[in-house]
Amino acid sequence: MWTSTCLPSTLTWCTLSCSRVTLNTSGVLIEDLQEAIEAQEDGGPSPRTHSYTKYNTWDKVHSWTASIASSNPSLISKQVIGNTYEGRPMTLLKLGKKSSSSKPAIFMDCGIHAREWISPAFCQWFVKEALSTYGSDSQMTSLLNEMDVYVLPVFNIDGYDYTHKSNRMWRKTRSRKSGSSCTGADPNRNWNAGWCSMGASSNPCSDTFCGYSPESEIEVKNVADFIRRNKSAIKAYLTVHSYSQLLLFPYSYTYELAADHSELMKVAEGASSALRSLYGTRYTSGPGATTIYPAAGGSDDWAYDLGVKYSYTFELRDTGRYGFLLPESQIKPTCEETMLAVKYIAAYVQKNLY
Ligand code: L98
Ligand code: ZN
């Protein structure tokens, strides 16, 4: 049932709702889902420490953040951009060679949606690769010499922690407001970009609840404030989700084409073919509204309208066989191929700086 209901023709419904088909009427997870959850862990037993080929808990990601920053002070620094609803620090990593003058930058976040575990795994992988290939890979060396890359490894930390401890299929934040018994808003429907006009719900119990107002979710406000403050430096915004194997760009809140449509499409196609060159994984590129579904209030549209031209949403592996429950054995190949796409976009942005 799990796989047969996830045919590509039902993609729109599937991406948001596949998890629900495995709930019985009393809301208890049925055996199929429990089995699928256990099957994710095909990467061997869980070590006590952080691993790039496992889905790390928030506590492990948090301590990894501190140790990776302190062990590479010349290339990486960290700053807390605010706290989550439940009070966890949102630590942003800044990768790049130190410079006396300010450098142009790329901003990348992972884990906006709690259950999309391959996404935070990718941000961690990216940081490791950037540090370990600086000085040997000419493209990475030049990128980090000329630009800074901001990486937010887990955007929706409260939700991510909740998927590890209580409900693997949770998507939203964990905020509460008096007047509703339902928890959380969709942090990718809460940005001030055509907010709540289409493809989002004003029902607090919905998985795509847009929130009570734009930036009502503190995690969204913290990131939006950071990007606004650093608007003149930030040349590209990359946000990593799963699943569907898509590389999307604005708009999702309207069917109108972005002013930079042709260039955004050209870069997306180049990035997708770089990705495909490694293991043959096929990605589809295009504007969100027509390629996946119209959905207002997303971070990509917001960043683009703010003036960050190269604004992309990745939907990583797979196309529905495992969906959010992508086995750990696929972390390495997924991250390796995604690196090629991210590096392609970064190289293009860098080449067009001046
Ligand atoms: S799970 C990610 C998904 C999505 C959003 C957007 C996919 C592609 C583009 N961007 C958007 N502004 N809606 C989603 O949030 O549902
Ligand atoms: Zn998502």
Side-chain angles (χ1 to χ4, degrees):
M1 175 176 67
W2 180 265
T3 51
S4 63
T5 52
C6 294
L7 296 168
S9 60
T10 58
L11 192 69
T12 301
W13 170 83
C14 175
T15 310
L16 278 167
S17 312
C18 258
S19 61
R20 271 183 240 133
V21 301
T22 56
L23 290 174
N24 67 18
T25 46
S26 51
V28 176
L29 296 176
I30 64 164
E31 271 169 35
D32 280 4
L33 179 55
Q34 195 50 45
E35 251 173 56
I37 288 173
E38 282 158 19
Q40 281 174 116
E41 283 192 39
D42 67 344
S46 278
R48 266 200 306 279
T49 55
H50 176 274
S51 166
Y52 290 105
T53 51
K54 304 284 295 180
Y55 293 122
N56 299 296
T57 59
W58 164 246
D59 293 343
K60 281 179 187 155
V61 177
H62 186 50
S63 50
W64 165 84
T65 307
S67 70
I68 199 141
S70 66
S71 58
N72 301 274
S74 63
L75 269 186
I76 183 170
S77 60
K78 64 177 173 52
Q79 59 185 299
V80 175
I81 59 166
N83 290 335
T84 66
Y85 181 81
E86 292 177 348
R88 298 180 178 89
M90 295 175 75
T91 308
L92 181 67
L93 297 171
K94 180 188 187 180
L95 307 180
K97 185 170 174 268
K98 303 267 171 322
S99 153
S100 47
S101 54
S102 78
K103 292 157 76 189
I106 293 171
F107 186 100
M108 177 167 73
D109 62 50
C110 291
I112 282 191
H113 287 135
R115 63 193 174 192
E116 299 166 8
W117 285 8
I118 188 62
S119 166
F122 176 70
C123 268
Q124 292 162 66
W125 187 279
F126 179 89
V127 171
K128 162 188 83 85
E129 278 296 304
L131 297 175
S132 66
T133 62
Y134 180 83
S136 59
D137 177 274
S138 61
Q139 198 212 313
M140 189 60 83
T141 308
S142 146
L143 175 68
L144 298 183
N145 282 343
E146 271 194 52
M147 297 187 79
D148 291 322
V149 183
Y150 290 104
V151 179
L152 183 61
V154 185
F155 184 114
N156 177 8
I157 305 168
D158 298 347
Y160 186 69
D161 192 61
Y162 191 70
T163 59
H164 280 266
K165 294 176 176 166
S166 302
N167 177 354
R168 176 65 185 84
M169 289 300 159
W170 191 256
R171 168 178 166 97
K172 299 190 286 179
T173 61
R174 294 293 303 161
S175 61
R176 300 296 306 262
K177 196 172 153 83
S178 57
S180 174
S181 58
C182 288
T183 302
D186 185 337
N188 211 30
R189 300 290 182 279
N190 190 237
W191 301 70
N192 198 4
W195 182 74
C196 221
S197 56
M198 60 204 299
S201 172
S202 52
N203 174 358
C205 301
S206 163
D207 243 1
T208 56
F209 176 45
C210 59
Y212 291 96
S213 58
E215 300 180 19
S216 60
E217 302 315 287
I218 186 64
E219 298 83 359
V220 171
K221 183 171 190 319
N222 289 339
V223 173
D225 281 344
F226 179 86
I227 295 176
R228 273 190 289 261
R229 273 201 308 278
N230 295 278
K231 174 175 136 74
S232 61
I234 298 174
K235 307 298 173 196
Y237 170 79
L238 306 178
T239 182
V240 183
H241 290 253
S242 75
Y243 59 90
S244 289
Q245 295 174 196
L246 305 169
L247 182 46
L248 303 153
F249 51 86
Y251 286 109
S252 289
Y253 73 76
T254 170
Y255 288 107
E256 272 171 43
L257 296 185
D260 303 292
H261 176 86
S262 326
E263 187 185 6
L264 290 169
M265 187 67 165
K266 180 186 78 176
V267 175
E269 305 249 275
S272 299
S273 69
L275 187 154
R276 186 167 66 243
S277 70
L278 196 58
Y279 298 114
T281 309
R282 289 184 173 275
Y283 268 58
T284 304
S285 320
T290 48
T291 312
I292 179 167
Y293 40 62
S299 62
D300 48 3
D301 288 354
W302 175 84
Y304 182 76
D305 281 350
L306 185 74
V308 182
K309 178 161 64 160
Y310 303 103
S311 180
Y312 288 101
T313 295
F314 280 86
E315 286 267 48
L316 302 184
R317 289 194 195 181
D318 54 12
T319 55
R321 181 168 201 276
Y322 297 104
F324 306 117
L325 305 179
L326 193 71
E328 287 180 328
S329 57
Q330 290 200 39
I331 296 176
K332 182 171 184 280
T334 303
C335 291
E336 287 172 336
E337 67 191 10
T338 309
M339 278 303 295
L340 299 180
V342 169
K343 285 174 76 176
Y344 181 95
I345 297 172
Y348 183 90
V349 172
Q350 194 189 339
K351 191 177 70 170
N352 288 280
L353 279 177
Y354 306 106

